[in-house]
Amino acid sequence: MSKRTRQRELARLRARREAERQQVRRRRALLSYGGLAVVVAVTAVVGGLWLNRDEPASTSAATSTAPSTTTPPNDARADAPAAPATVACGGKIPKRVRHPSFKSAPRSKVDAGKTYLATFQTSCGRFTVRLDPKKAPITTANFMFLAGRKFYDSTWFHRILPGGQAGIAVVQGGDPKGSGTGGPGYTVKDEKPASAAAYKKYSVAMANSGQPNSGGSQFFISTADNSKGLQADYSVFGQVVDGQAVVDKIAAVPVGGQRGDTPTEAVWIEKLTVKVS
């Protein structure tokens, strides 16, 4: 074999080996990208399931392996981390209050012949609710019980529905976790109104999970006439009788989030007291 012929054979051999190596690399790349695609697909499914839960999207953020340099808050946001750091109406984040949890509903009762006025001191001002011990004695007694133990202090209005033609108009609060998933550790019996006409503007009702007798501590205030938008499934236990303009301010706080009902600024219940006369 001549020297030139041998060089050609060696060149063909090197080319064949390089082609084989290229083919191996392509197969490995295909397997690698295929595995990545499976991981991405699984992540997307899990993420979709997580975001469909009744929790704010902010709680589904991936955790970082890097050590955090941020000092955890020691104010009201320590127990309600979903609350925005910005406070509405130029207010400040209130101090942290320990919210107790209970094993069973209270057995306390209210006197239908007395007047119960609940005063809410909030980031946007003060408003007063006259409770209704006649139509909703169980719900009123429960609200009194929790208020007396500072359960509502340093909690925020975690949900605002602005209403309009497409839906109802409410502001919702009373959750110690500030996420829509918290409660006192027990539930109370429903005291449903006779009709949806009870959900007039500035009425106060007990929120629930959609199941019978599932109310606990969360409540909502109708910021418009919701008699045509709601069914008579929520116990109405009060009416705002003073400070309606403050409620209107709360209802006007901008909202965002995945469902479009998460306030972008926090309105805190700094203190809630009930006066009996």
Side-chain angles (χ1 to χ4, degrees):
M1 179 184 295
S2 67
K3 184 177 180 180
R4 182 175 296 179
T5 301
R6 185 182 180 189
Q7 288 176 343
R8 285 199 297 267
E9 288 295 328
L10 290 174
R12 282 196 294 268
L13 180 60
R14 285 195 296 269
R16 184 167 63 249
R17 288 178 179 175
E18 179 62 26
E20 290 174 353
R21 285 195 292 268
Q22 289 286 353
Q23 188 174 5
V24 170
R25 284 195 290 267
R26 283 196 296 270
R27 283 199 298 267
R28 288 177 179 174
L30 180 61
L31 290 173
S32 176
Y33 289 126
L36 178 61
V38 171
V39 172
V40 171
V42 171
T43 304
V45 172
V46 174
L49 292 174
W50 178 263
L51 292 178
N52 282 333
R53 296 175 61 187
D54 189 20
E55 297 182 8
S58 59
T59 61
S60 65
T63 56
S64 173
T65 56
S68 175
T69 58
T70 303
T71 303
N74 193 29
D75 49 30
R77 292 183 71 238
D79 300 314
T86 302
V87 181
C89 304
K92 297 181 179 180
I93 302 173
K95 65 180 182 179
R96 186 179 189 184
V97 172
R98 298 287 184 176
H99 302 107
S101 181
F102 307 91
K103 294 183 178 179
S104 59
R107 297 182 179 179
S108 55
K109 296 182 179 180
V110 289
D111 187 341
K114 293 185 178 181
T115 300
Y116 297 83
L117 295 177
T119 299
F120 293 69
Q121 181 60 50
T122 78
S123 307
C124 291
R126 181 179 300 178
F127 66 89
T128 302
V129 173
R130 181 191 294 273
L131 305 180
D132 195 338
K134 293 182 180 179
K135 294 182 179 179
I138 296 174
T139 312
T140 298
N142 175 64
F143 189 83
M144 287 274 298
F145 172 81
L146 294 174
R149 285 152 182 80
K150 299 184 178 181
F151 190 88
Y152 293 109
D153 293 6
S154 294
T155 61
W156 73 300
F157 288 97
H158 62 274
R159 190 182 189 201
I160 297 177
L161 293 173
Q165 296 181 352
I168 62 174
V170 302
V171 296
Q172 185 171 333
D175 177 9
K177 293 183 179 180
S179 62
T181 63
Y186 62 80
T187 58
V188 295
K189 184 179 180 180
D190 290 334
E191 294 174 306
K192 298 181 180 180
S195 71
Y199 304 119
K200 57 186 178 180
K201 190 173 183 179
Y202 302 125
S203 61
V204 184
M206 179 66 70
N208 59 48
S209 68
Q211 299 298 317
N213 306 315
S214 60
S217 61
Q218 294 189 45
F219 63 91
F220 64 87
I221 303 173
S222 290
T223 53
D225 184 353
N226 290 317
S227 59
K228 295 182 180 180
L230 291 174
Q231 296 182 345
D233 293 330
Y234 309 93
S235 304
V236 177
F237 66 97
Q239 181 75 23
V240 179
V241 294
D242 186 48
Q244 291 91 340
V246 173
V247 177
D248 292 341
K249 284 184 182 180
I250 299 172
V253 170
V255 292
Q258 184 185 7
R259 295 186 300 256
D261 60 3
T262 302
T264 58
E265 298 178 353
V267 178
W268 293 95
I269 299 174
E270 298 168 351
K271 190 174 183 180
L272 196 163
T273 57
V274 180
K275 182 179 179 180
V276 185
S277 59

